[in-house]
Amino acid sequence: AGGTGTFEVKVLLCTLALIVLEWLYVSVFYFAMHRRNFELEFIAFFLSGVGITVIGSIKPDDAFKQLLMLIAGVIGFIVLVFLMGDVDLCMRLRLAVAAILLLIVNIAIAKVTHGARNWITIFGVTFQPSEFVKVAFIFVGAATLEKIQTSKNLYAFIAFSLVCVGALIVIKDFGTALIFFVTFLIIAFMNSGDIKTIFLALASAAMGGFIVIKYKSYVTARFSVYRHVWEHYNDSGYQQTRVLVGLASGGLLGLGIGAGTTRGVWARTTDLIFGVICEEWGFLFGLLLVLSFVAIAVSALVNSIAARSTFYSIAAVAAGGLLLFQTALNIFGITDVLPLTGVTLPFVSQGGSSMISCWAVLAFIKASDVRTYNYLGGVRKK
């Protein structure tokens, strides 16, 4: 695979380190915290491991970087799960302010990359602020609707949502803006069916209209290629057509790691990584990845039913919906089922900001599981 001993050594070392990390995580929380529910973590480690292997087969040096970001994501996951063990503490956090400040900094100093101004470099470290705002968005929505008894809280959340989506529109990150919009819809649906829901629905419609109007030319350009990629084989439809060719040539079992042609297309380790996997690992393995994301979403729904408070229920469903919708945007976009939006495949695509935020979002689902805090001797105070 890859044709060099360098690839084999680096990727094998990363794989070994991943296995050690996983066993260390399970051992510590099994024996010290008496946890018995590791299903979510196993799925996330599996998806992350697949990503590291594919990235290493194409860019051996980047496999180690992705592993470091995975470790950072796991640390963030652990911290957030502990933090959300106390709802009262969560209610006192002011993540909305931090998220808005982060977006303002993004607008002020970020440089345009591939048409969107969504990357910031500070002291040599490059990151994507909108990825971290996803976490704050779910947190603020769940915490606000936990105390929805006052209209002030409802209006504050609507205003926060408009600011987030508006900022993403300004920086031209259409894919992430769409993810935020759908997450807002999920949170609105989770609210009780009264007059407050009507306000949320109206705000949703306003945001959707704003996105369409602002991105009118952009959306028109996307739809001009959508479902017509074969007519633009060597220009605007280049990526999707190569992915479709790769899917067909890979068949059920794949051509083998390193034998595909999709790995030669731009964005092969980010937006198009699912195409590389299906061509080289097979359609059946690609289906397994999809089912893994479905399992995360189903877990969120199941956990929300028995969750200890509205905060956990809303956060879990919003997190599961966000990950599943982002997965759908990525896979359906590169296969021309939906217009290409340029979002990454959660846990799998290369990118430190994406990896950390995905693990952080997963923490909402983990916290909603009543088994997570058994080591505390029962249900913590709401």
Side-chain angles (χ1 to χ4, degrees):
T4 65
T6 303
F7 158 73
E8 294 177 1
V9 172
K10 290 182 177 179
V11 177
L12 285 176
L13 287 176
C14 287
T15 302
L16 179 61
L18 175 61
I19 294 172
V20 171
L21 173 64
E22 187 170 356
W23 275 104
L24 180 63
Y25 174 88
V26 172
S27 299
V28 169
F29 285 96
Y30 185 89
F31 294 106
M33 305 300 180
H34 306 293
R35 283 187 189 165
R36 300 295 184 268
N37 57 324
F38 297 104
E39 301 89 349
L40 284 174
E41 293 94 317
F42 287 150
I43 294 174
F45 275 122
F46 165 68
L47 293 170
S48 302
V50 170
I52 289 174
T53 303
V54 176
I55 293 166
S57 73
I58 299 172
K59 303 176 180 179
D61 292 334
D62 289 345
F64 182 70
K65 297 178 184 177
Q66 190 74 354
L67 176 65
L68 291 179
M69 293 301 101
L70 168 59
I71 294 173
V74 172
I75 293 173
F77 172 82
I78 294 171
V79 171
L80 271 176
V81 170
F82 273 108
L83 186 67
M84 287 187 286
D86 189 340
V87 178
D88 290 337
L89 174 62
C90 293
M91 295 301 112
R92 293 193 295 270
L93 294 177
R94 296 292 180 265
L95 291 189
V97 176
I100 292 173
L101 288 176
L102 193 58
L103 288 171
I104 291 174
V105 172
N106 191 161
I107 293 173
I109 68 175
K111 296 181 179 179
V112 177
T113 303
H114 305 304
R117 194 167 64 208
N118 56 353
W119 291 94
I120 293 178
T121 301
I122 299 178
F123 301 120
V125 178
T126 302
F127 65 97
Q128 192 172 358
S130 59
E131 290 292 337
F132 302 110
V133 177
K134 288 178 184 177
V135 182
F137 190 81
I138 295 174
F139 194 101
V140 172
T144 301
L145 297 185
E146 167 81 3
K147 302 182 295 183
I148 199 65
Q149 291 83 2
T150 64
S151 296
K152 179 181 178 181
N153 290 329
L154 174 65
Y155 297 144
F157 176 60
I158 292 176
F160 173 67
S161 302
L162 288 171
V163 169
C164 289
V165 174
L168 291 169
I169 289 174
V170 170
I171 65 179
K172 296 183 179 180
D173 191 350
F174 176 67
T176 304
L178 190 57
I179 291 171
F180 272 61
F181 175 60
V182 171
T183 305
F184 181 90
L185 290 177
I186 293 172
I187 294 175
F189 179 77
M190 289 293 292
N191 187 31
S192 59
D194 56 11
I195 189 66
K196 298 181 182 67
T197 304
I198 297 176
F199 280 114
L200 287 171
L202 291 174
S204 301
M207 278 195 287
F210 187 36
I211 291 173
V212 172
I213 292 173
K214 178 66 179 180
Y215 280 108
K216 185 177 180 181
S217 59
Y218 179 89
V219 173
T220 300
R222 288 290 186 182
F223 273 90
S224 66
V225 179
Y226 173 54
R227 306 304 295 171
H228 297 282
V229 293
W230 294 106
E231 300 171 18
H232 304 271
Y233 186 80
N234 286 319
D235 44 76
S236 52
Y238 187 90
Q239 290 177 298
Q240 291 108 314
T241 53
R242 269 55 179 186
V243 168
L244 291 171
V245 169
L247 286 170
S249 61
L252 292 178
L253 301 179
L255 301 176
I257 298 178
T261 57
T262 308
R263 62 174 41 236
V265 182
W266 182 80
R268 56 198 179 274
T269 60
T270 51
D271 301 354
L272 307 185
I273 195 167
F274 185 76
V276 176
I277 292 171
C278 287
E279 182 180 15
E280 299 185 0
W281 300 39
F283 175 79
L284 292 178
F285 192 87
L287 181 61
L288 178 61
L289 292 188
V290 173
L291 292 177
S292 298
F293 290 108
V294 172
I296 292 176
V298 171
S299 177
L301 288 174
V302 172
N303 291 347
S304 69
I305 296 173
R308 296 165 290 152
S309 74
T310 305
F311 171 80
Y312 295 105
S313 296
I314 294 174
V317 175
L322 184 151
L323 291 174
L324 189 61
F325 181 70
Q326 182 172 331
T327 300
L329 275 184
N330 175 271
I331 295 175
F332 292 153
I334 64 175
T335 54
D336 201 34
V337 177
L338 292 175
L340 185 64
T341 55
V343 299
T344 56
L345 186 62
F347 298 104
V348 183
S349 291
Q350 182 178 2
S353 301
S354 176
M355 177 67 80
I356 294 172
S357 73
C358 286
W359 276 92
V361 168
L362 192 72
F364 291 110
I365 305 175
K366 181 72 175 181
S368 67
D369 190 337
V370 293
R371 300 172 294 171
T372 297
Y373 302 103
N374 284 341
Y375 67 92
L376 294 172
V379 177
R380 296 192 68 162
K381 183 178 66 174
K382 293 183 181 180

